[in-house]
Amino acid sequence: MKLTFICDCGNQVGFFGTGMLDEQRREIIEPEDDDRLQVMMGDTGMVLTCQFCKQAYRIDKYNPDVLF
């Protein structure tokens, strides 16, 4: 497991490496269970939505602490 998402409700989703690399040689990761977490990419960033409690979390694309 490369990354873990934990919602306030307790829902946990692990992200695993696929072994595939993009053009910049970054490993591509995917959630272990698509039914528990919705991942949406947009122009302004990424939104993770817990499918249990429907709480949404936004990662801002322009946040200097997070690089896409």
Side-chain angles (χ1 to χ4, degrees):
M1 186 167 14
K2 305 283 185 173
L3 181 70
T4 303
F5 166 84
I6 303 173
C7 181
D8 289 336
C9 76
N11 180 22
Q12 284 192 20
V13 176
F15 287 77
F16 290 88
T18 63
M20 297 183 294
L21 304 176
D22 68 5
E23 303 84 36
Q24 288 81 31
R25 302 204 34 85
R26 299 174 293 200
E27 186 173 13
I28 298 169
I29 60 174
E30 292 182 352
E32 66 180 332
D33 187 343
D34 295 280
D35 294 334
R36 296 189 325 206
L37 182 68
Q38 180 183 31
V39 180
M40 295 187 317
M41 293 295 297
D43 292 340
T44 61
M46 179 169 50
V47 176
L48 305 172
T49 304
C50 175
Q51 296 298 69
F52 291 148
C53 70
K54 305 302 183 199
Q55 174 67 40
Y57 302 88
R58 179 176 169 199
I59 301 173
D60 191 357
K61 184 175 183 177
Y62 302 107
N63 184 340
D65 298 327
V66 179
L67 299 175
F68 285 101

